[in-house]
Amino acid sequence: MSKLQLAKRALPSKEGTLFKEVLTLYETRQLKKGLKTADQILKKFPEHGETMCMKGLILVHMGRREEGLDLVKKGVRLDLTSHICWHVFGLIQKGEKNYEEALKSYMQALRFDKENMNILRDAASLQSQLRLYDGLVETRHTIARCRPVLRANWIALSVAYHLNGNLQEAKKVLEHYEDSLKNVPDYDVEHSETTMYHVKVLEDMGDYAEALAFLDVNSKSRVIVDKTGVMETRARLLSKLKSEEAEHAWRVLIDHNPDCTDYYNGYLASQNISSDDAALHVLTEISSQIPRANAPRRLALAYASGDQFRELAKAYLTSALVKGVPSLFADIKSLYQNQASLEIIQSVLEELLAEHTPASSSPAEPTTYLWILYFQAQHFSHLSQYDKALEILERAIIHTPTLPELYTCKGRVLKRAGDPYGAARALEEARRLDGQDRFLNTKCAKYHLRAGLTNEAYHFFGLFTKKDAASPSADLEDMQSLLYLIEDADAQRRLGKLNLALKKYAAINKVFDEIEDDQYDFHGYSMRKFTVNIYLNLLTWEDSLRSHPVYVKAAVAASEILVALHDDPAIVKRYTSSEPLTSAEKKAQKKAKKAAHKKEDDKKPVPTSTNEDKGLEIPNVDDDPDGLKLLGCSDPLEKAAKFLHPLTTLAAKNIDVWIAVYDVAIRRKKYLQAVQALVHARELDADFPELHVRLAHLRKTATSLPQDPPAPIGPVFTSTVSTLLPDEVTLETFNSQYLQRHSSSPLAIFAAARVLQTLGSPLEEVENTIFATLGPDVKLTLKSARTILDYLVQLGSSRAEEYRTSCDQRFLLATVFKTADEQASLVQQVVDMPIASPKDEVEI
């Protein structure tokens, strides 16, 4: 540091005292006084960088972000060797969630003040957030060296070594820490947690015997508080050691909690049982010893077969049906994968129905008969026998018209049969039976979204959301309701409102960003509170966060919309051009504006103090309520790539992800990434219809390139294309062979038709191929039929109406293949249902 810089930083005694006062006033959040004091210093020393940075920081806290940020940057430039300047800059960047840049600023600050504990702690949290474990070890080591008296610092160092993969050093630090402890009281929670963490480290190292011995010693010496955790860890370690005591350890756990299936799995594994008969004998024995336990009886069904299965299934079903367990079908649905088990269950159901029918001679509870009908309806719905399921449900509703579960089941059957409007009506009937039931209300709103009745759905959501919120939609987004966001996004996409759909998909991405950001505070908190094992579980969960099915679905759907925008920029013009609004849209817009004005008016009378701390985080202002800016973004492919990037590792087994990755990469001219995506997709399913379409697209793209990509990418790209689709096979031959192999698959036939369209075949040939999906040997499903019909409409085919009529005749219960006028009439029937009585309205 030069003498000139020191001279510029040094303040006279009076101003030096004022600067210390600025720091104190900032820490106590007396922002107005702090700003005034900083101005006093800057009046005499206008180029004092540290004061300028502090003034900027205060201004950011007061809500004057742009002005404050400019001052901080200017202050840093005036004093590049001040740890205070860099620390302030890092604080603001951290508030903006720009963790990479914030860490750079913190590391710069540490160059000039190597042992500043505040900076070191924040730097450690940032390194944990960014998973920079090498740097974390170094930072935690410095903290432990500077403050060796604090126990949490040693635990944090051990965790840093653990996360960095150096388990041996983590063990050494823990042993050093434990040797330094004196006069620890019995059952001290913090010491108990660190002891269990020590056991985990030893287990992760593979030292199972040492881990077991350490666990036994500490559990007997009244160190560990979590007795259940001790029992589970001990059983797991004994199993890994293949000890004879493992069987007893798991049995003790079963007695402790007889309804935990993991304990039974561990118990069976400890006995090296290889046959289903042996496992069934063990489970039957336990069930007889603990008759109230449900888990062994349910697990026994997975191992039984034939007459044994019939006997056990009948007893299990009878017990649950007599008790009236609504979730019984969800419980045993997994058994339907075995055709023999399915047939036996159906036979048992018929026997039970005959025994409990009100007209039968045997006395039976009326509710048992009702729950048998409810189960049977779900059974036939699962088998796609929708007519039979609806017939049974009508009998059940006549028997007991006040059971909401019957109407929700009816709605589910109608939804699967292709009647979203009837399903919405059924759920509305269920909701009216109990207007204060949140589940029924949410389910009803969900089904209205699926029927395209978004305004009605928002009304139902509004019954349970905050009354002072701008809208039910805004409140549900603030509450991070993934259920609502994904359903609303899909509904808007089906309605053709791509701007609103993309807006909701982006909101889902934002929710996952916020969940990732929320872990930041736990990096320090968990060390202070010694909750180490849960903290490590948190990090593992956060690392796989975006494998969540909702994010996967949203990312793929958003990427499809963004790719469509890239392929056809005219889509944006259609949405941005001013078109007359419908009466419903005008009403919704007027209501939203009224709510927004009311929210502003509510805020106006409250005087805002200039001393109010608005924090460092960027305020969440929605300047694109309709999603039009998002729709008209200049780089749709880059946004799509960001959506999909985490899924290449977290959802590598999902073939739809790789298809989406290819669509984006090939348009970005990332040819190597594109062919790698198709290689992954082929490994998952070589006959996947969408893969067939993409292989044809790849060959056509590769042959149309003016020149091969430059080395080293070019040779790899060319050879991979040849591997995926041999050069000697023409696209016409490739397509016809695929069609011959999969002549009974509707989606495969559809894929072949799309390839014909890509190859420039006449529209008549494409249509004839598509109409092959209506053949008697083709297993056409409702979903695939809707997809094919949408494609025909998109092509402008004159035979689209013919295909719609054929599907309408084929799927008798479906209403999605009705004419536009018929569907509008069905929608009106749902909308015109009588309003519920005022007593059913809910106030929160």
Side-chain angles (χ1 to χ4, degrees), residues 33-303:
K33 288 183 179 179
L35 182 61
K36 188 175 179 181
T37 307
D39 283 335
Q40 281 182 262
I41 301 172
L42 291 172
K43 191 174 182 180
K44 289 187 178 181
F45 301 93
E47 293 191 354
H48 190 253
E50 293 181 345
T51 305
M52 193 173 289
C53 283
M54 287 305 302
K55 179 183 177 181
L57 182 61
I58 291 170
L59 287 173
V60 172
H61 274 276
M62 294 174 73
R64 296 156 63 181
R65 175 170 293 275
E66 295 300 325
E67 184 183 352
L69 189 55
D70 288 341
L71 277 176
V72 171
K73 290 179 179 178
K74 186 176 178 182
V76 171
R77 285 195 295 270
L78 288 171
D79 195 347
L80 292 169
T81 60
S82 167
H83 74 276
I84 292 177
C85 291
W86 286 110
H87 190 185
V88 168
F89 197 25
L91 282 171
I92 293 176
Q93 290 168 323
K94 186 179 71 174
E96 294 173 347
K97 313 298 184 187
N98 191 352
Y99 298 121
E100 292 86 352
E101 293 302 317
L103 182 58
K104 290 178 184 177
S105 297
Y106 275 101
M107 298 313 292
Q108 280 291 101
L110 288 172
R111 285 180 58 197
F112 309 113
D113 189 358
K114 301 185 188 307
E115 296 185 359
N116 186 306
M117 293 305 298
N118 288 331
I119 300 175
L120 283 167
R121 278 194 291 265
D122 280 353
S125 294
L126 286 167
Q127 287 163 335
S128 298
Q129 183 79 5
L130 296 170
R131 306 298 191 262
L132 301 174
Y133 296 134
D134 286 335
L136 178 63
V137 169
E138 186 178 342
T139 304
R140 288 296 185 189
H141 204 282
T142 305
I143 294 173
R145 179 169 49 80
C146 295
R147 297 288 189 276
V149 180
L150 294 178
R151 295 190 298 167
N153 291 342
W154 293 104
I155 297 302
L157 176 60
S158 177
V159 171
Y161 276 122
H162 189 169
L163 292 172
N164 199 36
N166 194 340
L167 295 172
Q168 195 65 43
E169 285 298 323
K171 176 187 172 185
K172 287 181 181 178
V173 172
L174 282 172
E175 290 172 345
H176 174 76
Y177 159 77
E178 289 162 357
D179 291 341
S180 66
L181 294 177
K182 295 179 181 178
N183 303 322
V184 179
D186 291 341
Y187 299 126
D188 178 69
V189 175
E190 292 180 355
H191 187 45
S192 170
E193 283 291 317
T194 55
T195 303
M196 289 300 289
Y197 172 59
H198 193 161
V199 174
K200 178 177 176 60
V201 170
L202 293 170
E203 183 179 359
D204 289 349
M205 290 176 65
D207 294 339
Y208 304 132
E210 185 179 351
L212 181 62
F214 185 78
L215 180 69
D216 286 342
V217 168
N218 286 282
S219 60
K220 291 173 183 175
S221 59
R222 297 190 293 183
V223 170
I224 301 175
V225 177
D226 184 5
K227 297 302 179 186
T228 302
V230 169
M231 293 163 64
E232 290 176 347
T233 306
R234 192 169 189 279
R236 188 173 64 247
L237 290 170
L238 287 167
S239 293
K240 289 180 177 179
L241 288 168
K242 303 189 184 304
S243 170
E244 295 179 358
E245 297 179 40
E247 180 182 339
H248 175 70
W250 286 111
R251 183 53 203 262
V252 170
L253 280 168
I254 289 172
D255 292 335
H256 178 70
N257 181 4
D259 282 316
C260 179
T261 55
D262 290 340
Y263 296 164
Y264 292 94
N265 293 331
Y267 184 64
L268 294 173
S270 67
Q271 293 182 309
N272 295 320
I273 293 175
S274 56
S275 68
D276 289 349
D277 290 339
L280 181 61
H281 174 74
V282 171
L283 291 168
T284 305
E285 185 179 347
I286 294 174
S287 184
S288 63
Q289 294 171 0
I290 315 176
R292 297 189 65 180
N294 186 65
R297 293 189 294 123
R298 171 60 185 84
L299 287 172
L301 294 175
Y303 293 101

Side-chain angles (χ1 to χ4, degrees), residues 771 774 789 792 798-808:
F771 270 76
L774 297 173
L789 178 59
L792 284 170
S798 59
R799 299 184 67 186
E801 179 63 19
E802 180 187 347
Y803 194 87
R804 182 201 64 75
T805 306
S806 299
C807 290
D808 188 32

Side-chain angles (χ1 to χ4, degrees), residues 64 86 228 338 353 364-365 401 418 421 423 441 470 476 502 527-528 536 541 561 569 580 672 683 716 732 768 781 840:
R64 296 156 63 181
W86 286 110
T228 302
N338 186 314
L353 187 63
E365 286 287 332
Y421 313 111
N441 187 77
L476 288 166
L502 198 56
M527 298 302 106
R528 294 194 304 273
L536 292 174
W541 178 78
I561 293 174
L672 201 55
E683 289 173 355
V716 178
E732 290 76 7
N768 291 337
T781 62
D840 290 333

Side-chain angles (χ1 to χ4, degrees), residues 689-702:
E690 291 297 323
L691 175 61
H692 176 70
V693 176
R694 298 317 186 278
L695 288 173
H697 181 269
L698 176 65
R699 164 68 74 80
K700 191 173 180 182
T701 303

